[in-house]
Amino acid sequence: MTIPMSRRDLIRTAAALPLLSTAAILRAAEPDLSALSPITGAARPIGKAEIAARLARAQAAMAAQGIGCIVVEPGSSLTYFTGVRWWRSERTTVAVIPAEGEPCIVTPFFEEPSVRQTLAIPADVRVWQEDESPFAVVAGFVRDRGLAKRPIGIEETVRFFIEDGVARVLPNARMVKADPVVRGVRMIKTAPELALMQLATDVTIAAYRWTHQRVEVGMTGAEIGALMSAATTKLGGAPEFSMALIGPAAALPHGSRAVSRIAKGDILLMDCGCTVEGYQSDVSRTWVHGGQASKQQRTVWNHVAEGQRIAFAAARIGASAGSIDDAVRRRYAASGYGPGYRLPGLSHRTGHGIGMDGHEPVNLVHGEATPLAAGMCFSNEPGLYLPGKFGVRLEDCFHMTDTGPRWFSEPPRSIDRPV
């Protein structure tokens, strides 16, 4: 009599056979995946009124800084201020946002209908033909608004050929950084933004809980990451990254090209995130697979957890972003790590800004003087890395309120209860 294999047996068997692909593991996990359902039903996309309010804040900042207009390329900032979702190519599409009045979208003639599909605010859309200069069209709008002699702010990710093209057709205008405007507005998240980030985090935590139970001896990091991504999708998130680092590879914060298969007693470090309606999560978890942690593994994990607590306690309104990193690093140095960014120790910053992009200004890094303010969002992700052995990273994001920091996800309690 043949006894049918359980779902877990199917996954274990797939992991044990090197010739089976990641697809085979996902097929074996499909019955379990099918039991998951989206938890993002409450997600409310950013609306036109919210985008209009962002534009108003940006224009107030421009007036305060004496900037006549700012130039923004496709990417998260363009979507943030106009709703337009587009991509970058050699054909220039930009938004020119003046200090007063409606912005202008400059785009190729044949792309105009597509660009308008996501435009969420009133705007002057001007086009250029394939044999024309897009920068001449930008200059025409700037002159029409009487801004040709005022400083033009360039968003920090704008490519050089666009900045140079604008400067050439407007030689009397001074090119300046748009950081005080773009960063100043985008760093302060509103309630609708925080709600989407919370949902994205909820998805990632739920996906971790599902994945943690289904990691089997013999799986590669890519296969474990595929399970995480599949669960994230079923739960209603759009996976951004699902990194799984095994054993010595976990000592490299962003992994190794070498393929490793997990064994009992190995450290598994996962760093995963997704988006919900354009807003991101970023959560890292580290645990020992299939058994008790060694004394060294447990000690390092506890030191990393202590670093997370120190960072959270140091995050106070008005404190400099760099002071959070300094507080963590002082404690680690006292425990024998480092000093500074040296190994074994914490070789990267303690955290980064997060929102529509996984990494946004500003960072929790030594020397960053920007004071923390309500509405700012950060990752809190100290790690400790022992080259050739293993690494541990714990990451949870928080946002600043008037009374201090608030977690999007609660840190794990122990290496034995990692998710």
Side-chain angles (χ1 to χ4, degrees):
M1 176 179 177
T2 301
I3 300 174
M5 297 179 73
S6 70
R7 295 171 186 174
R8 192 174 183 90
D9 287 337
L10 284 170
I11 296 172
R12 184 181 294 116
T13 301
L17 297 174
L19 295 179
L20 287 182
S21 65
T22 298
I25 287 178
L26 291 177
R27 285 195 299 272
E30 182 54 38
D32 289 346
L33 284 167
S34 64
L36 298 177
S37 58
I39 61 173
T40 54
R44 298 184 63 180
I46 298 298
K48 294 182 179 181
E50 172 82 2
I51 295 175
R54 296 169 175 178
L55 188 62
R57 293 197 296 274
Q59 290 181 320
M62 278 185 264
Q65 296 288 330
I67 295 174
C69 62
I70 62 172
V71 176
V72 180
E73 259 207 274
S76 58
S77 288
L78 183 67
T79 302
Y80 181 90
F81 286 117
T82 69
V84 172
R85 298 180 181 274
W86 205 244
W87 61 89
R88 298 186 180 196
S89 75
E90 77 283 3
R91 294 184 173 99
T92 297
T93 290
V94 295
V96 184
I97 303 175
E100 307 91 17
E102 293 180 358
C104 177
I105 308 296
V106 176
T107 194
F109 166 77
F110 70 93
E111 302 284 26
E112 179 188 2
S114 299
V115 167
R116 283 188 181 274
Q117 288 179 343
T118 52
L119 180 61
I121 56 172
D124 180 358
V125 180
R126 300 191 181 190
V127 302
W128 56 279
Q129 300 290 353
E130 291 278 71
D131 59 349
E132 296 176 337
S133 166
F135 310 116
V137 179
V138 170
F141 173 79
V142 171
R143 292 191 180 102
D144 289 347
R145 291 295 182 90
L147 303 172
K149 295 183 179 180
R150 294 172 64 180
I152 296 177
I154 304 296
E155 197 265 346
E156 60 188 318
T157 69
V158 169
R159 290 169 293 175
F160 174 76
F161 82 89
I162 292 179
E163 178 180 357
D164 182 62
V166 172
R168 288 177 182 274
V169 295
L170 294 167
N172 294 321
R174 182 165 59 96
M175 303 293 121
V176 299
K177 289 184 177 181
D179 291 0
V181 176
V182 177
R183 287 190 179 189
V185 176
R186 284 192 59 182
M187 280 196 303
I188 307 301
K189 270 59 176 184
T190 61
E193 293 178 286
L194 295 175
L196 291 173
M197 293 175 70
Q198 184 62 65
L199 279 173
T201 302
D202 292 345
V203 168
T204 300
I205 293 296
Y208 266 125
R209 289 173 178 156
W210 184 92
T211 302
H212 175 258
Q213 302 174 46
R214 290 163 178 82
V215 175
E216 295 291 347
V217 168
M219 284 184 176
T220 66
E223 289 163 348
I224 296 167
L227 286 174
M228 182 73 180
S229 292
T232 297
T233 300
K234 289 284 188 177
L235 289 161
E240 283 288 323
F241 51 93
S242 296
M243 183 173 68
L245 308 179
I246 299 168
L252 305 175
H254 285 162
S256 167
R257 292 181 180 273
V259 176
S260 301
R261 292 185 178 274
I262 197 160
K264 185 177 181 180
D266 281 345
I267 280 279
L268 175 60
L269 189 164
M270 295 191 69
D271 188 349
C272 307
C274 71
T275 61
V276 172
E277 294 294 344
Y279 282 81
Q280 296 208 16
S281 64
D282 194 355
V283 183
S284 295
R285 293 290 181 262
T286 303
W287 66 86
V288 174
H289 177 67
Q292 292 294 315
S294 70
K295 181 179 179 181
Q296 186 179 41
Q297 290 169 336
R298 188 176 300 276
T299 297
V300 174
W301 196 100
N302 288 340
H303 282 155
V304 173
E306 182 184 18
Q308 259 201 323
R309 293 191 294 270
I310 289 170
F312 191 75
R316 292 290 176 259
I317 296 294
S320 70
S323 68
I324 287 81
D325 184 78
D326 294 340
V328 175
R329 221 164 284 282
R330 281 194 300 270
R331 182 66 187 92
Y332 284 173
S335 297
Y337 301 106
Y341 293 86
R342 297 178 185 174
L343 293 172
L346 174 54
S347 55
H348 56 74
R349 63 201 175 198
T350 296
H352 54 78
I354 186 170
M356 294 179 73
D357 296 318
H359 289 187
E360 293 186 358
V362 291
N363 297 313
L364 304 181
V365 66
H366 175 71
E368 178 55 66
T370 302
L372 270 57
M376 289 183 174
C377 299
F378 298 98
S379 70
N380 178 347
E381 54 174 309
L384 289 170
Y385 307 97
L386 285 61
K389 295 182 177 180
F390 63 88
V392 173
R393 182 164 66 252
L394 302 174
E395 178 181 15
D396 295 273
C397 294
F398 66 89
H399 61 96
M400 296 301 298
T401 74
D402 290 331
T403 57
R406 182 174 299 169
W407 292 113
F408 285 106
S409 56
E410 291 284 342
R413 296 183 180 184
S414 73
I415 195 170
D416 303 309
R417 299 178 63 185
V419 295

